[in-house]
Amino acid sequence: MRRNLLRQRFAEGRPIVNAWLAIPSAYSAEVIGHQGFDSVTVDLQHGMIGFDAAVPMLQALSSTPAVPLARVSKCDYALVMQLLDAGAYGIICPMISTPAQAREFASFCRYPPGGGQRSFGPARGLLYGGADYFAHADAEILALPMIETREAVANVDAILATPGIDGIYIGPNDLCLSHDCAPAPEPADAAMAGLIRDLAAAAGRAGKMAGIFCSGGEAAKGRVGDGFHMVTPGNDVALLSRASKAAVAAVRGEGAAAPTSKTGY
Ligand code: 3PY
Ligand code: MG
């Protein structure tokens, strides 16, 4: 089976730069996949993307060096399995707040025996991964629950200790909302900022991966400094909006581009 290069980068202590796709386009996915990202996540939660649009995006990503990942809209047995069968090499699952939820999510990503519930039918997994996909899938596929609620923060050590879970991925916007703050990937509030850094430290102690959504490239670099292993410098819409506004400002001779969203979206 084709190796999951994200596992290798994590083991070597090299940061993973991850792209995040909300635009339902195989061409756009292909373009992003060629820009040097280590992985590209197809976002079925907040992206304008359903499973039928995700398949050609994963096919397009197969022609790029980036590792294909997907964020599901919820912890759904059928959807997790379909995306893995469609060739995703890892699943990011929103709103996992308890060890029981983490255990269920991990079981959707793993074949039996050993607690896995994944049904057999690897489809594109065989084409992208290789003929021996079944023998290695459990060891290569990444299962990353999102920590984005107060309850998840309280349970983070137990979630990290859950067998079959490879790490955590922080959703800072929702984490802020659950703490009665406005959504912000890099909150100014000192307590929120400290809490997010503590989550990276918890993953470090567990020897597992910590990922996080960021507002942009500089912020993502800062998160690597905070101990995060996987950073997402905003989604494709944020990158496109920012580049477009900067081009318009340059043509018009305006000093600064019009402001864009600071949430990474
Ligand atoms: C969040 O910040 O809540 C996310 O889910 C990132 O997309
Ligand atoms: Mg979220």
Side-chain angles (χ1 to χ4, degrees):
M1 179 177 171
R2 186 197 298 250
R3 304 299 304 275
N4 190 333
L5 296 180
L6 303 186
R7 287 188 179 278
Q8 196 176 314
R9 283 190 81 84
F10 174 61
E12 292 167 354
R14 291 191 292 157
I16 294 163
V17 187
N18 172 59
W20 202 261
L21 305 180
I23 300 171
S25 161
Y27 178 44
S28 184
E30 186 181 19
V31 170
I32 297 274
H34 280 292
Q35 302 313 313
F37 290 102
D38 302 301
S39 54
V40 177
T41 301
V42 179
D43 180 14
L44 285 81
Q45 185 190 20
H46 291 300
M48 304 293 103
I49 299 168
F51 178 70
D52 289 351
V55 174
M57 294 173 75
L58 290 166
Q59 289 172 312
L61 289 173
S62 299
S63 71
T64 79
V67 176
L69 305 176
R71 173 166 75 166
V72 288
S73 49
K74 62 174 184 167
C75 190
D76 181 82
Y77 178 67
L79 184 58
V80 168
M81 219 161 307
Q82 279 184 305
L83 287 162
L84 291 176
D85 289 347
Y89 256 37
I91 301 290
I92 297 174
C93 183
M95 299 286 174
I96 297 293
S97 297
T98 67
Q101 290 169 353
R103 210 162 33 248
E104 180 177 60
F105 167 52
S107 79
F108 296 170
C109 298
R110 312 291 176 206
Y111 288 117
Q117 298 195 63
R118 187 174 172 194
S119 162
F120 185 77
R124 280 204 73 249
L126 292 172
L127 304 179
Y128 178 71
D132 58 347
Y133 179 88
F134 173 70
H136 303 288
D138 284 0
E140 296 296 338
I141 298 298
L142 287 168
L144 297 173
M146 290 192 71
I147 302 297
E148 47 185 358
T149 64
R150 273 177 192 267
E151 196 182 10
V153 172
N155 288 323
V156 72
D157 291 323
I159 290 172
L160 278 161
T162 303
I165 290 299
D166 297 296
I168 51 176
Y169 186 96
I170 313 306
N173 288 304
D174 279 315
L175 198 57
C176 284
L177 284 178
S178 81
H179 287 78
D180 305 322
C181 305
E186 296 86 31
D189 180 79
M192 277 307 299
L195 187 154
I196 289 173
R197 283 194 298 271
D198 289 349
L199 293 172
R205 280 194 304 277
K208 294 194 175 176
M209 195 184 286
I212 188 162
F213 192 78
C214 311
S215 61
E218 282 304 317
K221 187 175 170 193
R223 286 306 190 197
V224 173
D226 287 340
F228 283 93
H229 311 100
M230 172 194 269
V231 294
T232 306
N235 76 2
D236 50 0
V237 172
L239 297 175
L240 185 63
S241 307
R242 233 168 263 157
S244 302
K245 284 189 160 143
V248 171
V251 174
R252 298 213 164 114
E254 295 162 357
T260 53
S261 163
K262 297 204 167 25
T263 60
Y265 281 89

